[in-house]
Amino acid sequence: MKKGLISACIMAKNEEQNITRCLESIKDFCDEIIFVDTGSTDNTVEIAKKYTDKIYFFPWNGNFSDARNETLKYATSEWVFIVDADEEASDELKNNIRDFLKSLEKDIVAVYIPTINYMDFDKKTTEIASTARFFRNGKVKYENIVHNQPIYKGKQVKVDFPLYHYGYIWTRLRRKQKTERTLALIEKYLKENPDDIYYLIQYMKTLSIANKYIEKMKIGKKVAEMLSEKLRKGNYKPIPMEVEFMFLWGVELMNKGYWEDAIKWFNIGTKWNLDCYYGLMNVYYNKRDWKNLKQVSLEFIKYLNIFENRKSEITWSMQSLFKKNEGIIYLALSKIKESDFNKIEKIIEEIDYQKNTNKILTLLEITFDTFISAKTMKEKEIILYILEKLIEGITNNIQYYPENHIKWIKRIKTFFDNLKNDPYEFLIFLVENFENEKNIVGLLLSYGDNLFELRDYEKVLKTFLKIRRLRREASDKEKGVIELLIGDALVKMGRFNEAKNKYKKAVEFEKSLAKFVQVLIEDILTQMNPEEIIPAYIDLRDEMNQKIEMIFELKSFNKNELSIYDYYLGKVFIPLKFNYALKISYNKEFDEAYEKILLQIFDSIKDNKKFKAFIGLRLYHYYRKNKKFKNAKKYLLSALELNPIIADLKGGHYNYTGFYYEKNIEETEDKIIDVVNLGEIMSLLPVVNPVRCWYESENKGIFYVSPQPEYNSIYALDKFLKKFTNYFDTIFQNPLNSNELKYNISRAIKGKTLEINTKEKIFVGERITIENNEYIEDRKIKEIYDSIIYLNPEYSRNIFEDIKYLKEKFKENLILVFNLDKNLLDRDPRVLNIINIMKLDKFIETIGKPYESKIIADKYLYIHYKK
């Protein structure tokens, strides 16, 4: 009888879920199928009988090699093919292996083919490793109880005919059963061979599958130490399992934050293992090391292209051969961050938008961030091209992307395609996408204003007529404002009678619009030149802008969208530019862009002074946060002059006057350390300047206010605070809430006592307080007290003169208690001095050395003078 070419040798147990797929894939190119069952209790054997009559039984003895060798005993063909029940032959293997085997010289005894391991049910995560699967009959045997290894002598060849392996796609129960079995067998082997590095690595991998992380890391550390010793000796040639370990151990270190150690192991492994380049890409991405990420990405793609054509030479498990798309994404990302746009278009075109969607979204986000931060128009133009390509690629494959990204990405695509040069349609687009927005009236007034400035009133009219159709279910107030804007457009076109009808309709919808309409109708009657008539919406807009910086906010749109809209239409729609600025204001990375946008807005606003004032206020806050206090003061003053009510944002009652009784007391050598707008702390009488500048004294150890309010201003302010506010109940400081401080004071106090600025009287004696318009600087203390307690000296207009004066007014004890909280200058409008704790020695030197001084509860400075 003619000898066959291939005998498939299979051992199996309880594989009814897999065996049909395996046998179907090999039946046509194998001459015989040897099937050895090791104790199935399911339908495995019955299924196998449909494909072969060569079925044998081998009682399981806990040794995989024994079972594998049992299958070899029955093979009769020239070649044996080692295949497992959870594997499947690829079409390349089915169609080409017979001819390939026939072509081999007689001294070739083993053939390596790549095995592609699917790690999850959707087959998105894969590994590849090339192993010997075809042997000359009689030239091979297997050893080791688990992870059995073929032992053979002779030449080998490698060929790229893959085999698919599904064995890692387990149910939780199957995973648990297989893992426990494998762990038991490896542990049994390692008892007798504790330093077998191959099995130690297999043990670490199996512990990982079993979620035994502590044990896994202990074994990994042992293997790392063993490999480090080998590396120190030089001329090191690793076995395939050691090559795999270099990547696996690097990943463990990377995930635990040991990035430099991970880089070390990845760099060692790059000599042999493509996975280590993949690991380096990930760790450099985590570190935001864009320069190294770019270099490693280039190397990863270069070597991946080589390995793609030499799969059969991969004799260890490799994960990264199917991750080229990630490499391209990382390369694009790093080049963008490095402002290296050479060949970037070609790289972007190579991205597969159906894979690695989360990383593509990360690339998109970082590209937007780079666009926002770009300093030159040329750089923005290049990045804009990249963004258009990314948006196009994503929208063409939008079904693969998460729901929360789809809407805004589609909106940008619509804008690119239809709206970027049409401000009229863009306003309609905003209205259509204004979901759950209560402030659409503000949108129409703000953006409508900008449309009127374009002076194409025919288009303005058509735009608002279309918006009216879109918003026919709107509130009466909104309908009234839309009719008002239509009327304004008609006025500018000289169609006065039609305009009057629209104004009448506007008032019917919203009666409060009557005062704005009435003024305009009077203008029409007295001045018939349309160009000289101020539209009614302007007064309405200004009234709404009086106390708030923005009469609407584009909450439905993210910073990425607004960055694109602003690029094309920001010069037309100033409020759009401001909304964009608001979106990026919370990220320090965009500080420079935020400042630049605010300055552009401030300089471009001509007529809307109220809005310009709030931009000035924003600039004040920006410069204050960044400690550029001269600029902060400049823009705060501009804001107050443009919109005086900013002096009382808390109450909205008192305007900035620019005239205050105050005195400049700053020394030439002292530097400004803060600028505060008191109007944002609480509502105050206009007797004090809302612009409070704080200076650091070089020589006296305090921070102080200059210009300083004069006596009459402070007196009037304190009367106002007591009569019309709850300042003395809520903001006024009460250090005696600290029991530790109260104890120290009680221990020192003796005899008749004078209490200054206590919330209520505590000791026997007298009390004076600014709450009752009583001040030390009045110099009305007529007697000498046994003890004096002075709380809150920071309220004093002349702290050093007051302390000097009090030193003359006590017999035994003078106690001073200072608040050390520097944030008081932001919270308490009455504070005029704060101790600079970093220069406490200079302060003590200025007031004179006390008997005792100490900091209590990290909040108070306690100073005790004793006679």
Side-chain angles (χ1 to χ4, degrees):
M1 188 172 87
K2 185 179 178 182
K3 191 175 185 180
L5 181 65
I6 302 173
S7 295
C9 297
I10 303 174
M11 64 174 188
K13 178 181 178 181
N14 292 336
E15 292 284 359
E16 65 179 4
Q17 300 297 322
N18 290 309
I19 191 64
T20 299
R21 179 181 57 223
C22 173
L23 296 174
E24 276 291 329
S25 74
I26 66 174
K27 66 179 182 178
D28 293 330
F29 70 86
C30 293
D31 298 284
E32 66 176 357
I33 297 174
I34 308 299
F35 187 90
V36 172
D37 187 82
T38 59
S40 295
T41 56
D42 63 3
N43 206 32
T44 299
V45 174
E46 293 305 312
I47 296 171
K49 285 178 180 178
K50 298 176 184 178
Y51 296 89
T52 180
D53 58 358
K54 295 185 177 182
I55 294 177
Y56 305 92
F57 297 93
F58 181 79
W60 178 247
N61 65 355
N63 189 308
F64 277 91
S65 291
D66 288 349
R68 184 75 74 193
N69 290 329
E70 183 71 11
T71 67
L72 299 175
K73 281 169 46 176
Y74 305 107
T76 63
S77 299
E78 184 180 349
W79 291 86
V80 294
F81 170 35
I82 307 302
V83 60
D84 287 334
D86 54 9
E87 293 176 330
E88 177 187 19
S90 67
D91 288 340
E92 296 99 312
L93 183 60
K94 295 178 197 177
N95 298 333
N96 299 298
I97 191 60
R98 292 185 70 87
D99 288 341
F100 180 77
L101 293 176
K102 289 173 184 178
S103 70
L104 296 177
E105 298 292 334
K106 295 295 182 184
D107 58 349
I108 303 297
V109 300
V111 178
Y112 279 69
I113 62 172
T115 301
I116 296 173
N117 299 305
Y118 294 113
M119 312 303 288
D120 49 26
F121 282 101
D122 57 10
K123 301 180 185 178
K124 287 185 177 179
T125 306
T126 56
E127 289 181 351
I128 188 170
S130 189
T131 55
R133 293 303 192 104
F134 291 88
F135 301 93
R136 296 266 184 198
N137 199 346
K139 298 293 185 180
V140 65
K141 69 172 183 176
Y142 280 81
E143 293 183 357
N144 296 330
I145 59 176
V146 66
H147 295 295
N148 43 288
Q149 300 295 300
I151 307 300
Y152 61 90
K153 291 182 180 180
K155 293 182 179 179
Q156 63 189 38
V157 292
K158 298 171 182 175
V159 65
D160 285 346
F161 302 154
L163 187 67
Y164 303 131
H165 178 224
Y166 302 90
Y168 294 116
I169 305 174
W170 300 328
T171 62
R172 282 180 294 176
L173 177 60
R174 190 72 180 271
R175 178 186 293 270
K176 187 173 184 293
Q177 291 169 340
K178 281 198 171 190
T179 304
E180 287 176 353
R181 180 192 66 187
T182 304
L183 280 175
L185 291 171
I186 296 177
E187 286 166 356
K188 180 181 178 183
Y189 177 86
L190 286 174
K191 279 185 180 179
E192 299 175 7
N193 306 276
D195 294 325
D196 187 320
I197 198 164
Y198 172 88
Y199 274 93
L200 284 168
I201 297 169
Q202 289 286 16
Y203 188 35
M204 186 188 89
K205 291 172 67 177
T206 311
L207 287 167
S208 183
I209 295 170
N211 296 327
K212 296 188 175 183
Y213 300 117
I214 296 173
E215 296 93 328
K216 173 187 69 175
M217 294 306 293
K218 287 179 181 177
I219 298 299
K221 186 172 183 291
K222 178 178 178 178
V223 173
E225 290 169 352
M226 293 169 70
L227 280 186
S228 296
E229 185 61 31
K230 287 186 179 185
L231 288 161
R232 278 192 289 271
K233 291 178 180 178
N235 297 320
Y236 168 62
K237 291 183 180 179
I239 63 172
M241 188 57 69
E242 291 171 345
V243 172
E244 185 180 349
F245 173 82
M246 293 170 189
F247 170 68
L248 295 175
W249 188 238
V251 170
E252 293 295 342
L253 294 169
M254 177 180 69
N255 290 340
K256 288 170 175 56
Y258 297 109
W259 289 347
E260 298 309 318
D261 293 305
I263 289 170
K264 182 188 83 170
W265 280 100
F266 288 146
N267 275 324
I268 292 169
T270 53
K271 188 174 180 181
W272 305 281
N273 191 352
L274 181 67
D275 282 355
C276 288
Y277 283 108
Y278 179 71
L280 281 171
M281 286 195 302
N282 281 282
V283 76
Y284 285 135
Y285 171 73
N286 289 338
K287 289 182 68 177
R288 299 303 191 259
D289 184 344
W290 309 117
K291 182 178 179 180
N292 277 316
L293 177 60
K294 182 174 74 171
Q295 183 60 39
V296 169
S297 300
L298 285 166
E299 291 173 347
F300 173 75
I301 293 168
K302 179 177 76 173
Y303 290 117
L304 185 144
N305 290 335
I306 294 171
F307 273 111
E308 277 186 329
N309 298 315
R310 297 164 66 178
K311 295 185 184 76
S312 60
E313 296 181 22
I314 305 168
T315 56
W316 57 90
S317 291
M318 182 183 286
Q319 298 180 19
S320 58
L321 193 62
F322 305 100
K323 297 184 183 293
K324 184 175 184 177
N325 204 49
E326 288 184 63
I328 294 169
I329 294 167
Y330 276 138
L331 178 59
L333 194 156
S334 57
K335 284 175 76 69
I336 289 167
K337 290 299 290 185
E338 285 282 288
S339 298
D340 174 8
F341 302 116
N342 183 34
K343 298 182 180 178
I344 190 68
E345 296 93 340
K346 186 175 184 299
I347 295 167
I348 294 294
E349 286 170 4
E350 290 181 17
I351 293 173
D352 183 344
Y353 288 90
Q354 296 180 12
K355 297 178 181 177
N356 312 113
T357 54
N358 285 335
K359 281 191 169 65
I360 289 171
L361 289 172
T362 298
L363 171 61
L364 181 66
E365 189 66 30
I366 286 178
T367 306
F368 267 114
D369 289 352
T370 308
F371 177 72
I372 292 167
S373 302
K375 292 180 172 61
T376 66
M377 286 304 294
K378 184 177 179 181
E379 193 176 354
K380 275 190 177 290
E381 286 170 10
I382 296 170
I383 301 169
L384 187 64
Y385 172 83
I386 297 168
L387 286 170
E388 287 200 57
K389 290 297 180 184
L390 289 171
I391 293 291
E392 183 179 6
I394 292 170
T395 51
N396 288 342
N397 299 276
I398 201 72
Q399 67 272 26
Y400 295 96
Y401 289 82
E403 195 69 33
N404 60 320
H405 289 277
I406 290 174
K407 187 174 288 186
W408 69 266
I409 290 174
K410 279 185 172 180
R411 283 201 296 249
I412 293 179
K413 185 67 167 65
T414 299
F415 181 84
F416 278 140
D417 291 345
N418 306 312
L419 303 171
K420 60 186 181 184
N421 297 313
D422 190 337
Y424 304 96
E425 284 299 318
F426 178 65
L427 178 56
I428 293 167
F429 165 79
L430 289 180
V431 171
E432 287 175 325
N433 288 278
F434 229 55
E435 297 177 3
N436 301 317
E437 300 283 1
K438 295 180 180 178
N439 52 5
I440 196 167
V441 167
L443 171 75
L444 295 174
L445 291 172
S446 298
Y447 280 47
D449 184 28
N450 299 131
L451 288 185
F452 273 94
E453 289 175 1
L454 297 175
R455 305 175 74 85
D456 189 334
Y457 302 122
E458 185 71 39
K459 285 187 177 179
V460 173
L461 178 61
K462 288 180 180 178
T463 300
F464 286 117
L465 287 172
K466 189 170 182 179
I467 289 171
R468 184 175 67 179
R469 289 195 296 273
L470 286 172
R471 302 295 297 176
R472 52 179 168 268
E473 302 300 324
S475 66
D476 284 349
K477 181 178 181 180
E478 184 183 326
K479 288 178 181 176
V481 170
I482 293 172
E483 294 296 333
L484 183 93
L485 287 162
I486 292 171
D488 285 342
L490 290 166
V491 163
K492 285 297 183 181
M493 296 168 72
R495 294 159 63 176
F496 298 124
N497 288 330
E498 292 175 78
K500 289 177 186 176
N501 289 332
K502 296 303 175 187
Y503 291 142
K504 182 180 178 182
K505 201 167 184 180
V507 174
E508 287 173 0
F509 279 124
E510 176 59 43
K511 288 183 172 52
S512 65
L513 298 176
K515 62 180 178 180
F516 307 106
V517 168
Q518 184 60 41
V519 172
L520 192 128
I521 290 174
E522 290 171 4
D523 286 347
I524 291 173
L525 293 173
T526 58
Q527 175 55 264
M528 298 303 287
N529 183 352
E531 285 301 318
E532 295 181 13
I533 296 175
I534 299 172
Y537 78 85
I538 295 236
D539 288 336
L540 173 60
R541 180 206 65 195
D542 286 349
E543 183 178 277
M544 292 178 69
N545 255 140
Q546 181 80 7
K547 297 178 184 178
I548 55 174
E549 65 178 352
M550 198 70 213
I551 55 179
F552 77 99
E553 189 175 346
L554 293 174
K555 293 181 180 178
S556 300
F557 303 87
N558 63 33
K559 69 173 176 60
N560 299 336
E561 294 177 83
L562 294 181
S563 70
I564 300 296
Y565 306 158
D566 171 70
Y567 178 84
Y568 286 101
L569 295 173
K571 288 182 179 178
V572 175
F573 294 120
I574 298 302
L576 169 65
K577 191 175 283 293
F578 182 57
N579 268 278
Y580 169 42
L582 292 180
K583 290 288 184 181
I584 66 173
S585 64
Y586 305 104
N587 189 333
K588 193 159 182 62
E589 180 184 349
F590 304 134
D591 261 10
E592 198 171 325
Y594 176 64
E595 177 191 12
K596 185 177 179 180
I597 295 167
L598 288 182
L599 288 170
Q600 287 173 351
I601 297 170
F602 189 84
D603 293 338
S604 65
I605 298 173
K606 304 301 181 208
D607 299 325
N608 192 345
K609 291 184 178 181
K610 301 294 189 294
F611 180 41
K612 185 170 185 173
F614 281 108
I615 302 300
L617 191 64
R618 279 270 169 181
L619 282 163
Y620 150 70
H621 283 294
Y622 169 80
Y623 287 123
R624 185 184 178 212
K625 182 185 75 172
N626 288 281
K627 301 188 184 306
K628 298 178 179 179
F629 298 114
K630 287 185 179 179
N631 282 348
K633 182 179 179 181
K634 170 186 171 182
Y635 283 101
L636 177 56
L637 286 170
S638 294
L640 290 163
E641 289 164 4
L642 288 163
N643 187 4
I645 201 64
I646 286 175
D648 186 18
L649 283 177
K650 280 290 182 181
H653 305 298
Y654 308 109
N655 284 343
Y656 177 73
T657 66
F659 173 78
Y660 302 96
Y661 287 107
E662 56 190 6
K663 181 181 180 182
N664 288 315
I665 64 169
E666 71 268 20
E667 301 288 341
T668 306
E669 67 271 18
D670 295 347
K671 64 180 180 181
I672 189 169
I673 57 98
D674 207 350
V675 180
V676 179
N677 177 21
L678 294 181
E680 294 177 82
I681 298 175
M682 67 183 301
S683 183
L684 299 172
L685 271 179
V687 295
V688 291
N689 192 341
V691 181
R692 180 153 288 182
C693 296
W694 282 87
Y695 290 82
E696 177 182 359
S697 171
E698 278 293 311
N699 303 315
K700 297 179 180 178
I702 62 167
F703 305 110
Y704 64 93
V705 170
S706 179
Q708 193 169 89
E710 293 190 358
Y711 182 92
N712 288 342
S713 298
I714 288 293
Y715 188 89
L717 177 64
D718 288 340
K719 288 191 78 170
F720 168 79
L721 290 174
K722 183 173 183 180
K723 189 171 183 180
F724 297 105
T725 75
N726 60 357
Y727 168 83
F728 287 103
D729 296 322
T730 56
I731 299 176
F732 184 77
Q733 300 302 303
N734 185 13
L736 294 180
N737 284 334
S738 166
N739 290 328
E740 184 181 354
L741 179 62
K742 190 183 290 187
Y743 168 76
N744 276 272
I745 293 173
S746 300
R747 190 182 59 174
I749 292 301
K750 292 179 181 177
K752 190 175 182 181
T753 302
L754 173 64
E755 301 173 21
I756 303 172
N757 290 338
T758 51
K759 293 277 280 187
E760 59 276 321
K761 193 172 179 182
I762 300 172
F763 301 99
V764 176
E766 298 179 16
R767 173 174 172 262
I768 65 172
T769 173
I770 65 170
E771 184 178 2
N772 298 327
N773 287 105
E774 299 164 339
Y775 308 99
I776 300 169
E777 69 176 299
D778 290 333
R779 307 293 186 249
K780 291 182 179 179
I781 302 174
K782 296 179 181 179
E783 59 181 293
I784 306 299
Y785 292 89
D786 296 312
S787 299
I788 298 177
I789 306 166
Y790 185 13
L791 303 184
N792 307 319
E794 51 271 13
Y795 294 139
S796 170
R797 287 193 330 113
N798 196 329
I799 188 171
F800 298 110
E801 290 296 321
D802 287 353
I803 292 172
K804 181 180 177 182
Y805 175 68
L806 290 176
K807 281 183 175 182
E808 301 169 357
K809 296 295 180 179
F810 77 96
K811 293 178 183 177
E812 296 190 38
N813 299 286
L814 169 62
I815 293 173
L816 313 175
V817 178
F818 299 86
N819 290 285
L820 297 179
D821 184 2
K822 193 178 174 184
N823 291 323
L824 283 179
L825 60 84
D826 244 348
R827 297 199 306 260
D828 192 334
R830 269 298 271 111
V831 171
L832 300 172
N833 309 272
I834 294 177
I835 288 180
N836 182 353
I837 196 66
M838 303 304 293
K839 294 184 177 179
L840 183 57
D841 55 337
K842 288 193 174 183
F843 179 73
I844 296 294
E845 182 183 330
T846 304
I847 64 173
K849 188 176 181 180
Y851 166 74
E852 179 185 19
S853 67
K854 57 185 172 181
I855 293 174
I856 293 178
D858 293 328
K859 293 181 179 180
Y860 307 105
L861 175 62
Y862 172 89
I863 293 180
H864 181 189
Y865 287 97
K866 193 174 179 68
K867 287 185 180 176

